[in-house]
Amino acid sequence: MTTVILVDDHHVVRRGIRALLEKEAGIQVVGEAGSGAEAARLTLQFKPDVLIIDLMLADMSGLEVIRQVRKRAPETSSVVLSMYGNDCYVVEALQAGARAYVLKDSPPEELVRAVREAALGRRYLAPPLSDRTIEVYLQRSEDSQLDPYDMLTTREREVLHLAAQGMTSSETAGRLCISPRTVEVHRARVMQKLGLHNRTELIHFAIRRGIIPEK
Amino acid sequence: MEDALVTARVLVEIQEEERRAIARELHDRLGQSLAVLKLLLGEAMNPPLDKMRYTLGEAQSLVNEMMSLARELSLELRPKMLDDLGLLPALLYLFESYTARTHVSVKFEHYGLHKKFPPEIGLAAYRIVKEALENIAAFAGVDEARVLAWSDRRVLSVRIEDRGYGFDTGIIPADRLCGVNGMRGRALVTGGTLSIASTPGLGTVVMAELPLAVKPERSNRVRP
Ligand SMILES: Nc1ncnc2c1ncn2[C@@H]1O[C@H](COP(=O)(O)OP(=O)(O)OP(=O)(O)O)[C@@H](O)[C@H]1O
Ligand SMILES: [Mg+2]
């Protein structure tokens, strides 16, 4: 017999899910909770095989409950039942320790399947979720190698170009119709963003980037 | 100027709060009721009376459609992931739904976004990127946009570029209530800056720099 605790802050939702699960042989709903705090308490007390939980609860994030349960009742498998199937939530839930993820608009048999799989300690993502889309999401969220030149504002680029051509601050100021003081500020920021320390390095950078021609 | 900024900040907050409230209603009330309706329909289908099978099937697919509509509207108004998980997930979601809707693809590069930003800064960055992308889809005439976002300890920067038609930035009156001035206002109320450089025929670059460390002289000011 697979024991289940059900958590959702809407009691109509709980009633619907309970009705669905009670028709299934071998699954027994042993408790219901409407809040995260209550969910954590019941789960730690009864240690059910499966905890079905919505991520968005009023008092406390469902994610937090999943983390606690993984730590303090590792024999319980968490199944997320959520309105949201965005990869970011799925990734976050799996990282918190959830075993399965089902959408509220998935066909009801998906939830039953997820409960059975999770009870066996297996991972289950209900379609259209898949390990592949999760993989793509993780790749997209990895840091990229940014080109420092992209970090300059248009004004900073102008100041860089004029400085590379050998213009002084006051000449640059005259050309751009701003004060020499402002030019100094822009130039300092350019140097900092590009990781340059002096004029020679600035010239080298400009040549490398094709901003000024090589002599 | 300072007072105008305070007023602008209050207005931004009010608008955001309203959006958040509507988004929540859409998700909590409408979305959850639909979820129940769906369960009930599933119940009625099992076993279905033959003459009801077709009608119930239709009702089920209608409910599915309404559920995804409620979810999309809710996220469009106020992306929950921004509050729940932060700027990066919210941007990734934005690009996905934007490309699906406009067929403009987004080339995204980022660095240093795996951290919690102050909520108003993350929100400003999100709204600026979104508006700049909307403009690209509407006016630039391209099928690709480029977005860069990066942060160090002091600043969160975003840069949104297209190689489209471009426009004359001088023609937008400073007091007009429109997207461009809205983006500028978003940046200004956080104490940051926003610049738009556009060359007809070459494209447009919107860049915002939003401070992460509050300037002491401003935060110490006590409002009456
Ligand atoms: N990336 C772009 N490429 C070409 N033209 C642009 C671009 N962004 C803005 N524009 C021009 O600038 C104008 C002003 O843009 P803005 O976002 O302020 O207003 P809008 O998009 O017309 O209305 P809304 O208030 O709904 O944003 C646009 O009407 C368009 O002509
Ligand atoms: Mg616009």
Side-chain angles (χ1 to χ4, degrees), chain B:
Chain B
M1 182 63 192
E2 279 286 303
D3 282 339
L5 267 185
V6 172
T7 317
R9 190 174 298 140
V10 170
L11 288 176
V12 165
E13 275 164 24
I14 291 173
Q15 190 197 30
E16 282 299 334
E17 192 39 53
E18 280 173 353
R19 284 190 183 156
R20 202 202 303 249
I22 301 171
R24 201 164 33 220
E25 290 285 289
L26 275 172
H27 168 263
D28 283 7
R29 301 262 293 274
L30 189 56
Q32 301 282 15
S33 312
L34 286 169
V36 177
L37 183 52
K38 187 184 160 72
L39 284 166
L40 294 177
L41 283 171
E43 189 74 355
M45 287 282 268
N46 200 5
L49 291 172
D50 256 355
K51 59 179 184 225
M52 290 296 282
R53 185 192 292 271
Y54 179 76
T55 317
L56 287 175
E58 288 286 283
Q60 249 176 348
S61 60
L62 195 62
V63 169
N64 280 346
E65 234 169 78
M66 288 165 76
M67 280 176 83
S68 38
L69 183 64
R71 189 164 43 219
E72 276 159 30
L73 281 175
S74 171
L75 291 176
E76 171 78 13
L77 274 166
R78 170 91 187 188
K80 270 187 69 55
M81 43 285 260
L82 186 60
D83 300 310
D84 297 339
L85 307 177
L87 180 60
L88 182 59
L91 287 177
L92 289 170
Y93 169 74
L94 170 65
F95 302 151
E96 194 185 312
S97 60
Y98 170 80
T99 300
R101 174 164 53 84
T102 63
H103 306 292
V104 176
S105 67
V106 177
K107 204 163 160 279
F108 180 42
E109 294 166 53
H110 59 91
Y111 186 85
L113 294 197
H114 291 273
K115 60 182 169 207
K116 270 248 172 288
F117 297 108
E120 70 285 3
I121 301 288
L123 183 62
Y126 177 87
R127 294 279 181 223
I128 289 167
V129 171
K130 185 170 195 300
E131 173 57 27
L133 285 178
E134 295 303 339
N135 282 350
I136 291 174
F139 310 114
V142 289
D143 57 12
E144 186 181 270
R146 185 162 177 250
V147 176
L148 288 94
W150 67 96
S151 79
D152 56 23
R153 255 180 307 114
R154 294 180 311 115
V155 205
L156 168 63
S157 310
V158 293
R159 177 184 189 95
I160 307 96
E161 299 180 354
D162 69 71
R163 290 167 176 261
Y165 299 135
F167 68 108
D168 177 2
T169 53
I171 57 164
I172 301 170
D175 58 353
R176 205 177 99 198
L177 215 58
C178 66
V180 163
N181 288 331
M183 287 197 279
R184 214 182 282 287
R186 289 272 180 185
L188 286 181
V189 297
T190 64
T193 56
L194 182 127
S195 64
I196 302 177
S198 191
T199 316
L202 285 180
T204 303
V205 179
V206 174
M207 183 159 169
E209 297 190 304
L210 311 171
L212 296 176
V214 188
K215 291 200 191 95
E217 63 280 10
R218 197 166 272 164
S219 65
N220 286 347
R221 271 177 65 117
V222 183
R223 305 303 314 173

Side-chain angles (χ1 to χ4, degrees), chain A residues 23 56 83-84 86 89 104-105 140-144 146 150-152 154 157 189 192-193, chain B residues 27 32 38 43 71 80-81 84-85 93 109-112 114 146 150 154 159 197 207 209:
Chain A
K23 289 196 316 243
M56 324 294 177
M83 276 278 279
Y84 294 98
N86 306 92
Y89 286 116
K104 284 195 178 163
D105 53 2
R140 288 212 184 107
S141 59
E142 262 166 33
D143 277 342
S144 338
L146 292 190
D150 275 330
M151 299 184 186
L152 303 182
T154 309
R157 286 186 186 185
R189 297 225 54 204
Q192 183 232 329
K193 285 183 181 179
Chain B
H27 168 263
Q32 301 282 15
K38 187 184 160 72
E43 189 74 355
R71 189 164 43 219
K80 270 187 69 55
M81 43 285 260
D84 297 339
L85 307 177
Y93 169 74
E109 294 166 53
H110 59 91
Y111 186 85
H114 291 273
R146 185 162 177 250
W150 67 96
R154 294 180 311 115
R159 177 184 189 95
M207 183 159 169
E209 297 190 304

Side-chain angles (χ1 to χ4, degrees), chain A residues 17-142:
Chain A
I17 300 168
R18 184 188 266 273
L20 171 80
L21 293 178
E22 275 173 352
K23 289 196 316 243
E24 294 297 320
I27 297 181
Q28 190 187 5
V29 179
V30 295
E32 277 183 29
S35 71
E38 211 186 328
R41 193 180 58 74
L42 281 182
T43 308
L44 298 182
Q45 187 182 342
F46 292 106
K47 310 227 156 77
D49 299 313
V50 173
L51 172 71
I52 298 179
I53 186 165
D54 188 354
L55 291 182
M56 324 294 177
L57 298 170
D59 63 334
M60 175 186 181
S61 150
L63 282 172
E64 200 37 53
V65 177
I66 295 172
R67 275 188 206 108
Q68 278 191 29
V69 166
R70 171 170 61 178
K71 219 165 64 204
R72 297 168 55 198
E75 59 277 47
T76 297
S77 295
S78 299
V79 172
V80 173
L81 180 63
S82 172
M83 276 278 279
Y84 294 98
N86 306 92
D87 304 319
C88 54
Y89 286 116
V90 182
V91 165
E92 204 73 16
L94 294 176
Q95 283 170 355
R99 274 265 156 66
Y101 201 109
V102 183
L103 301 180
K104 284 195 178 163
D105 53 2
S106 306
E109 50 290 5
E110 287 295 334
L111 179 63
V112 176
R113 171 139 185 226
V115 168
R116 297 202 189 281
E117 294 287 325
L120 294 171
R122 292 204 287 249
R123 168 150 139 172
Y124 184 70
L125 303 177
L129 309 177
S130 71
D131 286 314
R132 232 198 81 60
T133 61
I134 299 297
E135 195 50 46
V136 171
Y137 177 83
L138 286 173
Q139 265 166 29
R140 288 212 184 107
S141 59
E142 262 166 33

